[in-house]
Amino acid sequence: MTRHKPFADAFGPATQTGWRARWFHIIFGHEDAAGRLFDVLLIIAILGSITVAVFDSVAQAHAQYGKLFYALEWLFTLAFTLEYVMRILVIDRPWRYIRSFFGIVDVLAVLPTWISLVAAGSQYLLVVRALRILRIFRILKLTRYVGEADLLWSTLIRARRKVLVFFSTILTLVLIFGALMYLIEGPEDGFTSIPTSMYWAIVTMTTVGFGDITPKTTLGKMLTSVIILIGYSIIAVPTGIFTAELAAGMRTKRKYRPCPQCGQADHEGDASYCRICGTVLPTDND
Amino acid sequence: MTRHKPFADAFGPATQTGWRARWFHIIFGHEDAAGRLFDVLLIIAILGSITVAVFDSVAQAHAQYGKLFYALEWLFTLAFTLEYVMRILVIDRPWRYIRSFFGIVDVLAVLPTWISLVAAGSQYLLVVRALRILRIFRILKLTRYVGEADLLWSTLIRARRKVLVFFSTILTLVLIFGALMYLIEGPEDGFTSIPTSMYWAIVTMTTVGFGDITPKTTLGKMLTSVIILIGYSIIAVPTGIFTAELAAGMRTKRKYRPCPQCGQADHEGDASYCRICGTVLPTDND
Amino acid sequence: MTRHKPFADAFGPATQTGWRARWFHIIFGHEDAAGRLFDVLLIIAILGSITVAVFDSVAQAHAQYGKLFYALEWLFTLAFTLEYVMRILVIDRPWRYIRSFFGIVDVLAVLPTWISLVAAGSQYLLVVRALRILRIFRILKLTRYVGEADLLWSTLIRARRKVLVFFSTILTLVLIFGALMYLIEGPEDGFTSIPTSMYWAIVTMTTVGFGDITPKTTLGKMLTSVIILIGYSIIAVPTGIFTAELAAGMRTKRKYRPCPQCGQADHEGDASYCRICGTVLPTDND
Amino acid sequence: MTRHKPFADAFGPATQTGWRARWFHIIFGHEDAAGRLFDVLLIIAILGSITVAVFDSVAQAHAQYGKLFYALEWLFTLAFTLEYVMRILVIDRPWRYIRSFFGIVDVLAVLPTWISLVAAGSQYLLVVRALRILRIFRILKLTRYVGEADLLWSTLIRARRKVLVFFSTILTLVLIFGALMYLIEGPEDGFTSIPTSMYWAIVTMTTVGFGDITPKTTLGKMLTSVIILIGYSIIAVPTGIFTAELAAGMRTKRKYRPCPQCGQADHEGDASYCRICGTVLPTDND
């Protein structure tokens, strides 16, 4: 459960002194006033840079405020670059941060704007903006502290094998029904190939139903009805899996507490002894 | 649980006398015959005024019954204004009512028609009618007495943090997928800007699928399939959250109260006797 | 729980003799071989008559087999009329049957074909066929014996107040969002009136999304996104309600067993004593 | 629980010797390194042959790589034919395998390509490819070992009667609403026949909503709103059924086994020691 370990512990065990220790707590810490202010400013900057990228894609807005957007783009890029350099400077194990998920996202968020200086071109700039949007994942970092996110996440993790079985069933059905509809309807009704037919089968089975491709023949409509009813029935399956797992998770409040004797790590929240070998479990201090 | 406190207690502690006390019970009370008759008449009037506004927007109906609708409009406005004045007159703490949610809705429901006398204009009248529709919230006031509404409401309240985490995940996905589809498909296929692309992503991930914008390129169709399957999977999340919370809410009605005779500990909340051996259960003092 | 009472008990307590008693058991009974054969033949006849009506509506089939369909139509009508007369003849309390739901459906299933003899006209014949389709409800009569139908039904009954609260919320939202979209988009984008707008709001909130009417303005698209996300969230509510009720119903296997002392009828399946007054409950013999 | 019995037991009780015994374990076994390698190669071959069939249906890919696809097609067919012959040779009870589900699928996967030698024709070849896609079911065979698939499957089996009751209700509603919409809208609005109308009703009630057929009349839109709201409500039913059954299936892993020391009776199925006081739990003999 590294997810519970605070960043401060993961990246530097408080051996810094002076300005480094101070800025380490501001940038990586979330406890004192300065650390929280930094978090809020960072989120505002991320949301601001995303807003600029989003509105710059609107033709009218680009025509009217294009220059302002360009200036803001560089302002945010400089700020994020400064932030990235600071993170590396104040940390004890910089490589560990650089190779972490957010370390890579952080550098990807500023790199494209810098590259655009050398290899200019409007279409490249667009790619830059799309990559920057990944920075919003940083905000999700904060939800780590919302205990609820943990419950939802661990529910998904526990349900992962059921979900995998479910998805292979879905994809098999999509393949078979896609091929059948391609044979029945044919290219003249929009089912131009099996991949297109499979795209249609996914759109139909999940009840999205764009309507860009629809069956025209009687046999095609009958098979579509069957496909839809199957899709409608199995929509229950992921919901059922998730609900049952979540209900079980809420009921037992299971915890990750490895038994020192036999290693069984999955115990109920009120357990004092390992249910497999009877050893006393270590007290849960968090 | 202020929601359970009757209006009569909240707005006036029965210090009125004579006609005020009498009308206070008719308007704010729901217990005696007169109070219930007033409630029923009020609901009929609200539904009637909404029906008039709704049908007045149909071109043919407006052409044929426009004058009747106008007369009814004013009839309902006068009735609601009289009702509002009465509410203020019979209550002990009128300001508390005026500043309450329903106090504001009540005045907003009549104000626009009166304003239309001074600042006339057909388009303004339309706004008037839309605001009046908010009056239907008054009817919801009655559902407060249906105990079930409380259970549903408290379930939503308890689930609010899980729902917040869920919605930030959805919006992040919408942003990323919207930007990617804008880059892949481009303006010529209807994905004219990132905001439009995000609107499409919401329509698609939630399985609505209008079909006004659809992917044309092969890469776009592949990404759409992925987006749809993700949307289809996470539709399970809010359902799971709500169901698990509701089941937990319904289960708490059961209590752990061991029978002194046979030891059966799992009894319903209102049980006075053990359903297995008939022994008197110990009184529940919590 | 009249639903559990067999038809034989409800309509005639075995006082008939001779051919009436015999045919009573064939027509109303489901126990012996003859009774079961009658049920199967009846279901085949109902499905056959529906199939004829359905395929007669297809233009090509009508042109080719119109006369055969017409002949079969009359064959089924005569058979059902004979069946209806037999039911009245062999029963002890014919009025009770005639006024029951299936009694009314049975007569409605044959009446229109007979009326078409007097008041002919092709459009009237169509109405005849639509009414006949109601006969399929007779088949549902058999599901009464599938105990599962009872569980699903009693779950819906127990959840009815929650569902009512839920539906009034939905309809209020449909009204408000419908009126707002009418004001924002206006008749030129397909939102021709508030009723049409409400139809669109229902289609959108329930994630059906036909795409016959779609928002064109930026503000309209933003409001649509909000409406969709609200609809997507509350789709969880009916599912949650039904699931929680069904899970509770399956867990406790509640039974309708009225207490002879205090009248409390809702007890758990394993209860021997009333949990309210401690009286011994009558043994459950079915 | 024949599903759990390994293939090795079902088709041959280890009476073979020499190369037959060896190849039997490679082809039918999944335990040793050689057996697992064969499984992986087989899955790669199946996925490869499906990929070829899928991409051969794309017009551009067929024009460019048609000959390569044709060669690969025959390569896979020869490999699968060899595999089929080997399976029959090494097994003790070949007829039992030949008549099993996967025996029939295996032969259907190679037969059409061979037949295409005799009765050539491009459209027949397409049918060949579609049938080959059924081979992917072989992959599902592996999910049998994922214990989760068993839980999902047994949940569906236990819920089958509830699902049947649910589907007959759906189909009755589809029939009635389809016929009503046919009468109200008529052929000029796309509701050309009752079967087409029923197709539309299925598309609408399941919230797919293609939008290829939409109501045009006011009465039709009103009825559509009712149909959608009914469909929206009953989408809860299969989800509820599946979730409640799955939760019950997951819960049964817990057992009522009172601890002789502290009395805690609610333990997980695999517990040997009480998690509260560490006492050895009595052995579970049922």
Side-chain angles (χ1 to χ4, degrees), chain B residues 267-278:
Chain B
H267 293 289
E268 296 187 61
D270 63 345
S272 301
Y273 293 86
C274 172
R275 70 178 187 280
I276 303 301
C277 68

Side-chain angles (χ1 to χ4, degrees), chain A:
Chain A
M1 297 288 265
T2 7
R3 300 189 83 244
H4 276 114
K5 218 192 296 178
F7 252 50
D9 287 355
F11 293 117
T15 62
Q16 310 102 321
T17 50
W19 70 270
R20 279 185 71 206
R22 173 148 179 69
W23 277 99
F24 178 82
H25 277 108
I26 290 173
I27 295 176
F28 285 96
H30 309 274
E31 286 79 29
D32 56 353
R36 276 193 204 131
L37 182 68
F38 180 84
D39 286 349
V40 169
L41 286 175
L42 184 62
I43 288 170
I44 289 169
I46 291 169
L47 288 179
S49 74
I50 289 164
T51 309
V52 166
V54 164
F55 282 100
D56 197 27
S57 74
V58 182
Q60 303 99 296
H62 182 77
Q64 210 170 346
Y65 304 106
K67 292 201 169 172
L68 174 67
F69 288 157
Y70 188 77
L72 284 170
E73 171 91 6
W74 273 105
L75 182 72
F76 287 123
T77 303
L78 288 171
F80 292 150
T81 309
L82 181 67
E83 178 217 339
Y84 184 70
V85 172
M86 282 296 284
R87 277 182 192 269
I88 291 171
L89 285 182
V90 302
I91 220 166
D92 266 10
R93 307 178 188 163
W95 274 109
R96 200 163 167 178
Y97 161 67
I98 289 164
R99 285 173 312 185
S100 74
F101 174 71
F102 282 113
I104 293 160
V105 169
D106 286 354
V107 83
L108 283 176
V110 295
L111 217 59
T113 322
W114 292 111
I115 291 169
S116 75
L117 283 181
V118 190
S122 60
Q123 65 270 40
Y124 288 101
L125 274 167
L126 284 169
V127 180
V128 170
R129 284 165 200 147
L131 285 165
R132 170 144 319 145
I133 286 157
L134 286 167
R135 291 211 74 181
I136 204 158
F137 273 128
R138 273 231 195 99
I139 302 168
L140 289 181
K141 190 167 69 183
L142 290 173
T143 64
R144 187 180 303 167
Y145 298 94
V146 183
E148 309 286 351
D150 259 0
L151 181 58
L152 293 184
W153 185 252
S154 67
T155 300
L156 282 175
I157 290 298
R158 262 184 298 130
R160 72 187 176 284
R161 289 170 73 189
K162 284 196 197 71
V163 169
L164 204 74
V165 169
F166 170 72
F167 265 105
S168 30
T169 312
I170 288 272
L171 288 177
T172 310
L173 290 174
V174 162
L175 188 61
I176 292 168
F177 287 135
L180 281 176
M181 287 302 285
Y182 170 66
L183 290 174
I184 291 169
E185 291 282 332
E188 59 275 14
D189 292 336
F191 296 81
T192 50
S193 64
I194 293 183
T196 303
S197 241
M198 287 168 66
Y199 157 75
W200 173 87
I202 289 175
V203 167
T204 302
M205 288 191 77
T206 53
T207 78
V208 173
F210 281 133
D212 51 349
I213 308 168
T214 49
K216 299 284 180 297
T217 65
T218 305
L219 190 58
K221 284 180 181 176
M222 281 169 63
L223 184 59
T224 302
S225 300
V226 172
I227 294 172
I228 288 172
L229 286 177
I230 289 174
Y232 190 63
S233 306
I234 58 182
I235 206 175
V237 175
T239 306
I241 291 168
F242 186 82
T243 307
E245 290 283 1
L246 185 62
M250 284 170 62
R251 196 161 36 226
T252 60
K253 295 197 183 296
R254 303 188 80 82
K255 295 227 176 91
Y256 176 87
R257 289 160 63 197
C259 170
Q261 191 71 32
C262 71
Q264 170 71 37
D266 181 40
H267 293 290
E268 295 187 59
D270 63 346
S272 300
Y273 295 84
C274 173
R275 71 178 187 281
I276 302 301
C277 68
T279 311
V280 177
L281 289 174
T283 324
D284 200 28
N285 286 320
D286 76 314

